[in-house]
């Protein structure tokens, strides 16, 4: 079960990555090997085994609905590459 | 439907903001309208190493909503990451629920807009909890300046309620949303304020067209940005027409085109293409390792069901069967919300007749609330007080016109009893003999009116009523009219 260059191009696009065509071929081979490795798991017979939602055997961890102090605006904007003192700034985007 | 050549098929996805104090996975405030980027923390900013912890109240509100919507409730539910890139989504994924939503299939019944005595049903596919994204502000004019991002809303709890494509008209879509909003406010799970984005709707729309005895379906379009119920109605009517014309021109069916997303522009009254929808798998959902599953036991669901109280459907039914209100009146009172139904109930239990109580609630009370922009809870005249006034009308101690003056005075001085207010306005029951002699006096002074009435023009007596009111403001106009006519007849 190896991957095609087209499949790699598709996931690359979803991850907003751009590759040259020779890179796509190379990654198709590399990623295909990883997928094949993981695919060995499908050899295990899981008939009747309940699906696991989380590796920890813990559930229903909740907190009360209480407001706690967050960051100040200056702190929240501090690591942003671009801001106007009130907002994060990003290159113009079309309305989604 | 004006054009019988097609049937409109609509499913709605409604995002409801749950009324919690803090966000879904962190303790930041959810209050609307704060200065930009002041209600944020490492969790909702998606900073490395920050870990989400589930808000117990959001779960409670989702359960309450689910049981009220007749949903099959999950006893085991979990969290998944929905991955996509957008500047107002700082983590690069939204925490949502993919394959095990908290609320499974259910339904909502609501009055048919074509006939308030019968009901329509929309089946619900599911309802799941998820976090909201932030807010982007774009340079609409030139499109050149940077977009500004406010992340205060990021992480606010939403319940996404997804319907089956059971809606068949724009009017029915509006009626469904109206009932859903009423139910959610009854439950107290959301304020459903559309201006503040607490209730947002997207519509999935296509047409079924009869052609040569077979049915063809047009490609499905998702219409976004429906910010008012009126916008929903207009956008659906527009979309039906647009799809029909597109089909006539191109013959394209659901098999020929992918699902498309269009944005509704309310000012222009048109929708425009936003993007071809990503396939579901393009969101690359996977279980969120940062959050453990949630187990809900049957006892908790039972407690939620027991605590629902009377829901709008039951209120309408009770007002009709127990109090004999017409379907329309029962619907108007119910649609004002739970507090109004309680006010109505208090009027009736304090002795007012249901019919008079319904009429005063719908006219004087509702008009005042609207004028003053009050909630029912802020209405100054208590139900027992208003009931005293309605009882006085019932007993013939005061006429409707003067009762409205008392109502106005009670609004200003709610501490008065109805009797005190009547006294302050100089209103007192006038005895029959007093009115009779007043009428006789008027007839003696106005022989012209008397002869007109004798000539068969009973309406002429109306001229005397104003004069009677001037001489004695407590004279009941209806009584004056009756007595005058009787005295004239007797003089024949």
């Amino acid at each position: 079960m190896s991957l095609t260059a087209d499949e790699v191009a598709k996931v690359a696009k979803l991850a907003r990555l751009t590759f040259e065509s020779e890179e796509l071929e190379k990654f198709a081979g590399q990623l295909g090997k990883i997928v094949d490795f993981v695919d060995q798991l499908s050899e295990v017979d899981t008939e009747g085994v309940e699906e696991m939602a989380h590796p920890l055997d813990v559930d229903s961890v909740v907190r009360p609905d209480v407001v706690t102090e967050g960051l100040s605006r200056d702190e929240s904007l501090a690591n942003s590459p671009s801001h106007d003192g009130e907002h994060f700034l990003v290159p113009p985007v079309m309305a989604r | 439907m004006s054009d019988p050549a097609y049937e409109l098929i609509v499913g709605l996805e409604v995002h409801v903001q749950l009324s919690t104090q803090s966000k879904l996975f962190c303790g930041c405030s959810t209050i609307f309208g704060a200065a930009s980027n002041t209600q944020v923390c490492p969790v909702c900013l998606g900073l490395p190493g920050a870990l989400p912890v589930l808000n117990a109240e959001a779960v409670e509100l989702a359960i309450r909503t689910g049981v009220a919507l007749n949903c099959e409730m999950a006893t085991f539910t979990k969290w998944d990451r929905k991955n996509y890139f957008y500047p107002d989504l700082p983590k690069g994924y939204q925490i949502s629920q993919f394959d095990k939503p908290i609320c499974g299939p259910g339904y909502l019944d609501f009055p048919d807009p074509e006939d308030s005595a019968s009901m329509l049903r929309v089946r619900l596919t599911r309802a799941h909890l998820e976090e909201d994204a932030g807010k982007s502000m774009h340079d609409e004019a030139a499109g050149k300046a940077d977009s500004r991002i406010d992340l205060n809303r990021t992480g606010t709890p939403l319940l996404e309620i997804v319907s089956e494509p059971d809606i068949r008209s724009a009017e029915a879509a509006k009626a469904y949303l109206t009932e859903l909003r009423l139910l959610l406010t009854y439950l107290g799970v959301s304020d459903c304020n559309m201006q503040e984005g607490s209730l947002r709707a997207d519509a999935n729309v296509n047409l079924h067209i009869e052609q040569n005895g077979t049915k063809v379906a047009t490609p499905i379009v998702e219409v976004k940005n429906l910010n008012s119920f009126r916008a929903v109605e207009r956008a659906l009517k527009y979309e039906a027409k647009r799809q029909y014309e597109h089909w006539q021109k191109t013959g394209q069916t659901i098999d020929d085109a992918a699902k498309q997303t269009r944005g509704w522009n309310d000012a222009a009254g048109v929708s425009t293409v936003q993007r071809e929808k990503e396939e579901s798998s393009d969101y690359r959902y996977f279980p969120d390792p940062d959050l453990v599953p949630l187990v809900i036991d049957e006892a908790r669901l039972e407690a939620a069901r027991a605590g629902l109280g009377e829901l709008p459907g039951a209120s309408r039914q009770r007002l009709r069967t127990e109090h004999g209100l017409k379907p329309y009146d029962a619907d108007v009172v119910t649609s004002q919300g739970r507090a109004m139904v309680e006010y109505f109930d208090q009027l009736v239990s304090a002795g007012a007749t249901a019919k008079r109580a319904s009429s005063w609630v719908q006219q004087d009370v509702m008009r005042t609330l609207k004028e003053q922009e009050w909630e029912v809870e802020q209405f100054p005249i208590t139900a027992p007080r208003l009931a005293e006034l309605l009882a006085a009308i019932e007993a013939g101690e005061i006429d409707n016109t003067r009762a409205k003056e008392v109502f106005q005075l009670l609004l200003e001085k709610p501490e008065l009893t109805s009797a005190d207010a009547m006294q302050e306005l100089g209103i007192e029951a006038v005895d029959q003999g007093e009115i009779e002699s007043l009428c006789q006096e008027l007839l003696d002074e106005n022989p012209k009116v008397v002869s007109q009435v004798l000539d068969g023009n009973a309406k002429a007596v109306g001229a005397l009523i104003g004069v009677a009111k001037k001489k004695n403001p407590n004279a009941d106009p209806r009584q004056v009219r009756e007595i005058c006519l009787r005295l004239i007849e007797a003089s024949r």
Side-chain angles (χ1 to χ4, degrees):
Chain A
M1 185 191 154
S2 46
L3 291 179
T4 64
D6 282 349
E7 285 168 326
V8 175
K10 188 183 168 191
V11 288
K13 189 181 172 213
L14 291 174
R16 302 296 185 266
L17 296 172
T18 318
F19 296 123
E20 302 297 330
S21 60
E22 53 268 30
E23 288 176 306
L24 290 175
E25 291 295 340
K26 183 176 157 195
F27 293 145
Q30 291 180 347
L31 287 170
K33 275 182 193 156
I34 295 170
V35 172
D36 285 343
F37 178 75
V38 176
D39 199 40
Q40 291 179 80
L41 288 172
S42 64
E43 290 167 20
V44 181
D45 180 10
T46 54
E47 187 70 29
V49 177
E50 207 179 318
E51 211 173 298
M52 188 176 73
H54 199 276
L56 295 182
D57 194 16
V58 178
D59 65 65
S60 312
V61 176
V62 293
R63 61 177 177 82
D65 181 26
V66 174
V67 173
T68 53
E69 200 174 334
L71 298 174
S72 70
R73 179 150 69 192
D74 287 346
E75 285 171 324
S76 67
L77 296 173
N79 288 330
S80 168
S82 179
H83 64 79
D84 64 3
E86 295 177 11
H87 306 93
F88 297 92
L89 296 181
V90 297
V93 269
M94 293 299 294
R96 189 157 185 270
Chain B
M1 188 59 58
S2 57
D3 195 333
Y6 60 78
E7 188 175 28
L8 178 66
I9 311 290
V10 179
L12 289 173
E13 291 171 14
V14 178
H15 285 89
V16 179
Q17 183 181 329
L18 298 175
S19 299
T20 56
Q21 301 298 309
S22 66
K23 293 184 180 179
L24 186 53
F25 297 112
C26 64
C28 292
S29 170
T30 55
I31 287 178
F32 180 83
S36 302
N37 295 305
T38 56
Q39 292 173 177
V40 290
C41 76
V43 174
C44 54
L45 288 175
L47 300 186
L51 285 173
V53 188
L54 179 61
N55 183 335
E57 178 67 6
V59 173
E60 200 55 42
L61 299 179
I63 291 175
R64 195 184 302 164
T65 309
V67 297
L69 289 170
N70 313 291
C71 290
E72 289 169 28
M73 299 297 293
T75 49
F76 178 93
T77 179
K78 69 187 232 305
W79 307 96
D80 300 281
R81 293 184 178 181
K82 179 181 180 177
N83 299 278
Y84 65 89
F85 285 110
Y86 203 72
D88 59 23
L89 187 76
K91 295 194 298 297
Y93 61 85
Q94 176 191 30
I95 305 177
S96 182
Q97 301 193 295
F98 183 55
D99 57 333
K100 294 200 182 297
I102 186 163
C103 310
Y107 60 86
L108 178 65
D109 293 332
F110 56 95
D112 185 344
E114 311 258 307
D115 169 19
S116 65
S118 67
M119 304 294 277
L120 293 176
R121 171 169 295 185
V122 167
R123 290 168 301 152
L124 304 174
T125 315
R126 58 185 279 164
H128 62 262
L129 275 166
E130 62 185 24
E131 54 177 357
D132 206 348
K135 187 175 156 199
S136 305
M137 287 153 282
H138 307 295
D139 176 13
E140 303 283 355
K144 285 183 180 145
D146 283 348
S147 291
R148 294 171 299 146
I149 312 291
D150 172 12
L151 297 179
N152 281 349
R153 206 178 63 186
T154 309
T156 297
L158 301 177
L159 190 68
E160 179 174 342
I161 302 168
V162 183
S163 91
E164 292 286 313
D166 284 353
I167 298 164
R168 293 289 175 273
S169 71
E171 293 79 8
K174 189 179 168 200
Y176 164 78
L177 289 170
T178 304
E179 185 73 1
L180 185 59
R181 178 173 64 180
L182 179 63
L183 178 70
L184 296 168
T185 51
Y186 255 65
L187 296 172
V189 298
S190 173
D191 63 19
C192 294
N193 184 331
M194 291 190 92
Q195 284 78 45
E196 296 179 3
S198 298
L199 193 153
R200 307 191 287 260
D202 301 331
N204 286 295
V205 191
N206 76 338
L207 306 177
H208 285 174
I209 302 169
E210 284 285 331
Q211 188 193 31
N212 310 326
T214 56
K215 211 179 248 184
V216 293
T218 56
I220 295 174
V221 168
E222 181 172 3
V223 186
K224 287 188 168 288
N225 201 26
L226 302 173
N227 293 326
S228 69
F229 289 0
R230 193 169 154 269
V232 172
E233 212 177 354
R234 290 179 69 207
L236 290 179
K237 285 183 173 164
Y238 172 88
E239 189 57 26
K241 189 162 173 284
R242 192 196 64 77
Q243 288 193 16
Y244 190 63
E245 287 169 2
H246 186 73
W247 176 79
Q248 282 180 316
K249 216 183 297 168
T250 65
Q252 249 184 19
T253 72
I254 194 162
D255 301 320
D256 306 322
K259 183 169 162 180
Q260 190 187 69
T261 300
R262 301 179 71 90
W264 174 248
N265 181 333
D266 204 43
V270 297
S271 70
T272 49
V273 182
Q274 286 190 331
R275 61 180 163 157
E276 303 298 321
K277 181 91 175 172
E278 286 113 347
E279 296 288 321
S280 162
S281 61
D282 284 353
Y283 287 123
R284 292 150 295 149
Y285 280 100
F286 64 89
D288 191 326
D290 288 347
L291 287 156
V292 294
L294 178 69
V295 174
I296 300 165
D297 61 21
E298 198 53 49
R300 187 167 177 192
L301 296 175
E302 267 319 303
R305 285 191 190 100
L308 285 180
E310 185 180 76
L311 300 181
S315 294
R316 275 191 205 99
Q317 187 68 26
R318 186 171 59 79
L319 294 185
R320 287 162 60 174
T321 54
E322 271 181 38
H323 296 302
L325 295 192
K326 295 199 179 92
Y328 173 84
D329 295 322
D331 189 37
V332 173
V333 174
T334 303
S335 64
Q336 300 305 305
R338 186 173 251 167
M340 185 62 100
V341 174
E342 281 168 7
Y343 189 81
F344 172 85
D345 284 337
Q346 286 169 15
L347 284 177
V348 174
S349 60
T353 65
K355 193 166 171 237
R356 200 176 292 281
S358 153
S359 149
W360 275 72
V361 158
Q362 289 185 55
Q363 292 167 32
D364 306 86
V365 177
M366 275 168 57
R367 190 189 56 236
T368 308
L369 295 179
K370 200 173 168 201
E371 281 168 6
Q372 303 292 331
E373 297 183 357
W374 280 335
E375 299 297 326
V376 181
E377 290 84 348
Q378 294 167 278
F379 190 65
I381 309 177
T382 64
R385 235 1 66 107
L386 184 55
E388 288 165 13
L389 181 59
L390 303 192
I393 304 171
E394 206 70 45
E397 291 163 23
I398 180 172
D399 66 67
N400 229 19
T401 317
R402 297 231 72 186
K404 285 176 198 283
E405 293 173 36
V406 176
F407 180 83
Q408 284 306 321
L409 182 63
L410 287 174
L411 281 177
E412 289 158 32
K413 299 181 174 175
E415 70 281 2
L416 295 181
T417 64
S418 290
D420 290 342
M422 282 160 72
Q423 199 178 10
E424 190 167 326
L425 290 167
I427 298 170
E428 48 192 50
V430 193
D431 83 32
Q432 183 85 5
E434 206 176 316
I435 298 274
E436 291 227 14
S437 50
L438 172 69
C439 290
Q440 191 58 60
E441 198 180 310
L442 289 172
L443 294 180
D444 294 345
E445 286 167 9
N446 297 281
K448 209 170 159 191
V449 172
V450 175
S451 64
Q452 280 174 323
V453 173
L454 286 172
D455 286 347
N457 182 13
K459 276 187 183 155
V461 84
L464 302 180
I465 289 167
V467 191
K469 273 282 214 194
K470 234 175 244 167
K471 293 197 177 203
N472 184 343
N474 292 315
D476 179 346
R478 204 179 31 142
Q479 210 181 358
V480 170
R481 178 189 302 273
E482 279 169 17
I483 292 171
C484 286
L485 289 174
R486 181 159 52 77
L487 292 174
I488 294 169
E489 276 308 310
S491 71
R492 236 184 238 277

